[in-house]
């Protein structure tokens, strides 16, 4: 599998010398990496998972759902779009083309109308050899209650939950379409891992369609090994009164390219996005995040909090796009990046595009080291510099990780964060 | 690029030109140029050689111009920013010389040109508030003078042509188009090929010029370009405030302004560079301004942009020396038919450098405002601090306002902050003022003037008054 593509296109071009208009992805992989998908058993009523849906079926489904392509030929009515997508995502059409050329099938998760799902839906994608072996020691991860000799310890669990195998994929590329019915509420978490020594790639493309009044808490955790190439893409459409609370953690990957595009098409729709990141050693994180507000009185907040250490590099493009017709809307994007290494490279572009008078949009970014005053304060309390740095990092990422709906998964995330402290 | 620029028509619509909300009549007068010398339109090596000959360039400058032209042919028009399809270089006259040489007494300036500058208040300003004035009309300076007591301090303020052919020629050659090289972008190369006019300023070590110097650029010719070059060197410990102003009558064909300003702020020196830009709405304003600041130096930009059809304008500062500092305060007003892409670039190289940006913009009647910036903190810039604050007012649904800032930070030992806000005039604030007897239009004008106050308070009183007057003109009809 050869990758030679540009992703994460900035909605509005700027000086070419800055090298921020897009990201180049060039790599070669065998593409042969079996990945196992597990889900926490006990799906709530009204929640269904259908695996391996073909592209044609997805297209028919989209037409049936009347997911209209509201993405115009121009960004903000003015700047030509690089390439139009039927359902826009943050990384762009190149990811769709990669998946199409590799015949990737889609897992469709549907939540019926008027469902209040009690249990979060947790999906775990594992190409970690040790972990999957454990999880696969028997596909059956339930014990027969009538079997007196059954060993309770043979029930494999993940993150404290009993996991059931959903499918095995031969290629590490995954597509999900999540459709949440009218006035339904559901929490969904996706979690990705890979071996620390794996030099392969993982590609995840998730699309969420929230019908009128739907409320979704969505968590996407990327805990890939530090030599993996990660492509992590999301697109979302919120109809009238829908609300998407999206918490995302980027903790692994040698090079991670990630994108989120939220189209607030419906009146009073809401998109709250929290992105936490911890990039260290010589790792690279490149992201493109766009909230396009078309409906009246929509509310979009995008908060980015994280840490760069050692010789890490990060590029974040963050765009609030207020379209004509979004009267009464609010848009807010804030970045708080802590720099812990003298050789880090941190690039940020917090963009606001606005063609509607009666809106309020703002952005802010704070970038720098731990203040001397804060370090002094902690040292006067007996906390040494390295421990102080760890505490502050944990605190920053905790703002996002507290949204993980499962304590067991939270523990695994904390463990991944602690691994990142090895060079401090 | 050449093809792209040649095939598109020159286009500024009558409607855009005559939008009812802007009365530029105090600037919108035209003088007869039938006796002026005009080079043929277009851009060729022969035209560049002719310009060089008209200007009595030294040999090195002719070679420089021809090299710049070669670079111009190689570079592309930017693929970002406002479209400049309506600019056709084949139709631009790059050199227009009025029928006078430069004078040092207004009495000696030809009547029609003198009247033009009197209408603009330049001689009066010189008498009342300035240490020296350079007045440029189309491609050449028609008047240049500096007060005796300022000259006695060793301050040099002269036109570029004189500087090139004088005892300062070596200094000019040392600094000319070094901080803005011709390879910087296509219109820097164009400037390098056809530049004419502009001022050379040198302030000796330790000299504080208490009263500002000013250059004023008046553009009169139809379908022409103005390419003045301003070169200012403020030596160690010196202090200068330099003001530039500009205006032009409106035509229904495109005009081009591609001037260049190069500023050198030496160790411990301070330079404030203020601009009130009021080009007419057929002007493509593709100007380049850059400052290089040494240790403990201080650079202050104060900018008010009100005119032009389309602008690319990003005053830039390179904070090379330790503890050097830059402040940028600007307001941009964009109305019907205008697409103004303005902002700033600041590069932190030295340790302990600091910068502060305060930018405001107002968009109405379909005007487009883009704030575009980059703050770069290099690895060597330990202990640096930077803060960017931009506010945008949208006055209707016809307009747009985009904020496109970038930060490139390469050391952990720095503190950088950026914030921006876009919104509209609060209905409550307008109601409050109207309940005190103001009309809606006056209430909005007052609020907008207050919004732009951070810029106007940095200007000398006369210029603040001019800026407020321009705001008032733009707000009429709201």
């Amino acid at each position: 599998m050869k990758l030679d593509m540009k992703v994460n296109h900035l909605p509005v071009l700027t000086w070419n010398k800055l090298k921020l208009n897009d990201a180049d992805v060039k790599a070669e992989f065998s593409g042969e990496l079996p990945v196992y998908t597990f889900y926490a058993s006990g799906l709530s009523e009204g929640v269904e998972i259908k695996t391996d849906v073909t592209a044609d079926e997805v297209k028919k489904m989209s037409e049936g759902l009347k997911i209209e392509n509201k993405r115009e030929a121009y960004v903000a009515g003015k700047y030509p779009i690089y390439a139009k997508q039927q359902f826009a995502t943050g990384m762009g059409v190149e990811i769709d083309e990669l998946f199409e050329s590799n015949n990737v099938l889609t897992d469709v998760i549907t939540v019926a109308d008027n469902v209040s799902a009690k249990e979060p839906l947790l999906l775990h994608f594992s190409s970690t050899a040790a972990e999957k072996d454990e999880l696969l020691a028997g596909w059956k991860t339930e014990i027969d209650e009538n079997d007196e000799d059954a060993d309770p310890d043979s029930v494999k669990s993940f993150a404290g939950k009993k996991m059931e195998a959903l499918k095995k994929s031969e290629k590490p590329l995954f597509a999900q379409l999540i459709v949440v019915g009218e006035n339904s509420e559901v929490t969904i978490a996706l979690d990705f891992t890979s071996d620390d020594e794996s030099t392969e790639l993982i590609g995840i493309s998730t699309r969420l369609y929230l019908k009128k009044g739907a409320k979704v808490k969505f968590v996407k955790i990327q805990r890939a090994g530090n030599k993996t190439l990660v492509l992590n893409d999301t697109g979302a459409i919120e109809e009238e009164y829908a609300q998407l609370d999206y918490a995302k953690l980027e903790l692994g990957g040698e090079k991670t390219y990630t994108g989120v595009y939220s189209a607030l098409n419906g009146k009073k729709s809401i998109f709250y996005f929290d992105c936490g990141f911890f990039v260290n050693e010589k790792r690279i994180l490149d992201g493109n995040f766009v909230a396009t507000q078309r409906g009246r009185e929509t509310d979009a907040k995008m908060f980015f909090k994280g840490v760069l250490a050692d010789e890490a590099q990060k590029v974040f493009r963050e765009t609030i796009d207020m379209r004509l017709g979004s009267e009464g809307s609010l848009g807010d994007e804030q970045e708080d990046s802590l720099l812990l290494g003298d050789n880090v490279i941190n690039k940020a572009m917090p963009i606001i595009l606005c063609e509607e008078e009666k809106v309020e949009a703002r952005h802010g970014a704070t970038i720098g080291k731990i203040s001397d005053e804060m370090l002094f304060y902690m040292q006067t309390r007996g906390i040494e510099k390295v421990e102080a740095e760890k505490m502050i990092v944990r605190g920053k990422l905790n703002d996002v990780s507290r949204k993980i709906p499962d304590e067991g998964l939270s523990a695994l995330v904390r463990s991944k964060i602690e691994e990142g402290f090895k060079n401090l | 690029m050449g093809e792209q620029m040649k095939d598109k028509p020159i286009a500024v619509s009558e409607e855009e030109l005559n939008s009812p909300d802007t009365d530029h009549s105090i600037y919108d007068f035209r003088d007869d140029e039938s006796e002026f010398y005009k080079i043929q339109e277009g851009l060729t090596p022969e035209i560049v050689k002719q310009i060089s000959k008209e200007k009595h360039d030294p040999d090195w400058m002719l070679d420089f111009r021809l090299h710049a032209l070669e670079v111009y042919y190689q570079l592309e028009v930017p693929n970002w920013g406002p479209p400049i399809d309506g600019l056709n270089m084949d139709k631009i006259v790059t050199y227009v010389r009025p029928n006078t040489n430069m004078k040092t007494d207004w009495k000696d300036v030809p009547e029609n040109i003198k009247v033009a500058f009197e209408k603009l208040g330049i001689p009066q300003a010189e008498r009342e508030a300035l240490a020296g004035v350079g007045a440029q009309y189309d491609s050449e300076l028609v008047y240049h003078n500096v007060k005796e007591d300022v000259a006695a301090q060793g301050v040099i303020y002269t036109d570029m042509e004189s500087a090139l052919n004088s005892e300062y020629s070596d200094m000019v050659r040392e600094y000319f188009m070094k901080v803005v090289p011709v390879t910087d972008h296509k219109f820097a190369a164009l400037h390098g090929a056809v530049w004419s006019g502009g001022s050379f300023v040198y302030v000796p070590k330790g000299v504080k010029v208490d009263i500002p110097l000013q250059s004023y650029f008046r553009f009169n010719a139809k379908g022409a370009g103005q390419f003045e070059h301003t070169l200012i060197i403020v030596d160690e410990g010196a202090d200068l405030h330099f003001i530039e102003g500009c205006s032009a009558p409106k035509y229904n064909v495109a005009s081009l302004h591609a001037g260049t300003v190069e500023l050198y702020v030496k160790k411990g020196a301070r330079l404030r560079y203020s601009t009130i830009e009021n080009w007419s709405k057929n002007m493509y304003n593709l100007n380049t301004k850059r400052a290089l600041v040494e240790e403990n130096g201080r650079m202050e930009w104060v900018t008010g942009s009100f005119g032009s059809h389309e602008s690319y304008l990003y005053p830039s500062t390179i904070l090379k020396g330790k503890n050097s500092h830059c402040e940028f305060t600007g307001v941009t007003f964009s109305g019907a038919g205008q697409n103004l892409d303005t902002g700033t670039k600041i590069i932190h190289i030295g340790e302990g450098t600091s910068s502060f940006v305060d930018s405001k913009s107002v968009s109405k009647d379909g005007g487009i405002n883009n704030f575009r910036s980059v703050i770069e903190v290099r690895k060597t810039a330990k202990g640096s601090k930077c803060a960017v604050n931009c506010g945008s007012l949208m006055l209707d649904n016809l307009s747009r306002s985009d904020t496109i800032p970038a930060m490139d930070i390469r050391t952990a030992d720095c503190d950088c902050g950026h914030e921006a806000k876009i919104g509209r005039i609060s209905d409550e604030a307008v109601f409050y003022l109207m309940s005190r007897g103001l009309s809606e239009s006056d209430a909005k004008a007052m609020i907008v003037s207050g919004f732009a106050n951070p810029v106007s308070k940095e200007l000398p009183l006369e210029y603040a008054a001019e800026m407020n007057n321009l705001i008032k003109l733009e707000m009429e009809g709201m």
Side-chain angles (χ1 to χ4, degrees), chain A residues 134-317:
Chain A
E134 278 189 27
L135 284 162
L136 287 175
W139 279 98
K140 293 173 185 171
T141 55
E142 288 178 321
I143 54 168
D144 184 349
E145 289 179 3
N146 296 322
D147 182 354
E148 290 176 355
D149 296 327
D151 177 4
D153 289 341
S154 70
V155 175
K156 299 301 173 185
S157 68
F158 168 76
K161 291 244 181 297
K162 195 164 65 176
M163 301 299 284
E164 292 190 30
L166 190 63
K167 72 178 196 183
K168 177 186 172 188
S169 312
E170 295 305 327
K171 287 186 180 172
L173 299 173
F174 301 92
Q176 302 93 36
L177 171 62
I178 301 172
V179 180
V180 183
E182 287 189 12
N183 302 313
S184 289
E185 291 185 28
V186 67
T187 299
I188 300 173
L190 306 185
D191 173 53
F192 300 85
T193 60
S194 66
D195 276 325
D196 283 342
E197 296 308 308
S198 170
T199 55
E200 282 293 333
L201 80 93
I202 291 182
I204 314 112
S205 174
T206 312
R207 284 176 161 91
L208 299 104
Y209 178 63
L210 279 69
K211 292 189 187 178
K212 185 175 171 182
K215 289 184 176 30
V216 178
K217 290 185 180 165
F218 182 61
V219 177
K220 205 171 188 188
I221 300 165
Q222 182 270 101
R223 298 186 291 126
N226 285 355
K227 293 184 181 173
T228 303
L229 178 83
V230 177
L231 307 172
N232 187 359
D233 198 12
T234 312
I237 294 176
E238 295 92 11
E239 299 290 8
E240 255 184 36
Y241 300 99
Q243 177 167 345
L244 175 60
D245 279 278
Y246 183 173
K248 182 174 163 62
L249 280 163
E250 300 284 1
L251 302 174
E254 183 182 54
K255 290 182 187 176
T256 298
Y257 299 89
T258 183
V260 176
Y261 187 105
S262 172
L264 291 91
N265 289 348
K267 182 173 111 167
K268 297 198 177 185
S269 53
I270 292 173
F271 175 61
Y272 293 157
F273 179 59
D274 288 275
C275 178
F277 56 91
F278 187 4
V279 197
N280 62 355
E281 296 176 334
K282 291 187 180 183
R283 295 163 50 222
I284 293 171
L285 175 61
D286 187 297
N288 184 41
F289 310 95
V290 181
T292 299
Q293 297 177 248
R294 297 193 177 95
R296 289 171 60 106
E297 298 176 65
T298 56
D299 185 2
K301 289 182 176 38
M302 299 202 288
F303 298 142
F304 305 87
K305 260 193 174 181
V307 183
L308 294 184
D310 308 320
E311 297 171 67
Q313 297 181 36
K314 173 195 136 279
V315 177
F316 270 5
R317 308 165 190 79

Side-chain angles (χ1 to χ4, degrees), chain A residues 13-17 76 79 341 343 346-348 350 352 354-357 361-365 367-369, chain B residues 79-80 184 345 370 372 379 397 400-403 405 407 409-410 412-414 416-422 424:
Chain A
L13 293 179
T14 190
W15 291 293
N16 292 303
K17 287 178 191 172
Y79 308 100
N343 296 309
N346 183 77
K347 295 186 184 182
I352 300 179
C354 184
E355 59 184 10
E356 171 60 62
E357 181 203 358
R362 60 180 188 173
H363 67 224
I367 297 165
K369 59 183 173 38
Chain B
N79 62 344
W80 49 270
D184 206 76
K345 298 187 204 176
N370 303 314
R372 191 182 302 270
K379 208 172 144 166
N397 268 351
R400 60 172 306 120
S401 183
D402 297 339
T403 309
M407 284 177 281
I409 312 296
R410 301 198 179 211
D413 188 4
C414 71
C416 288
H418 175 100
E419 60 175 6
K421 196 164 176 186
I422 289 178
R424 57 191 289 262

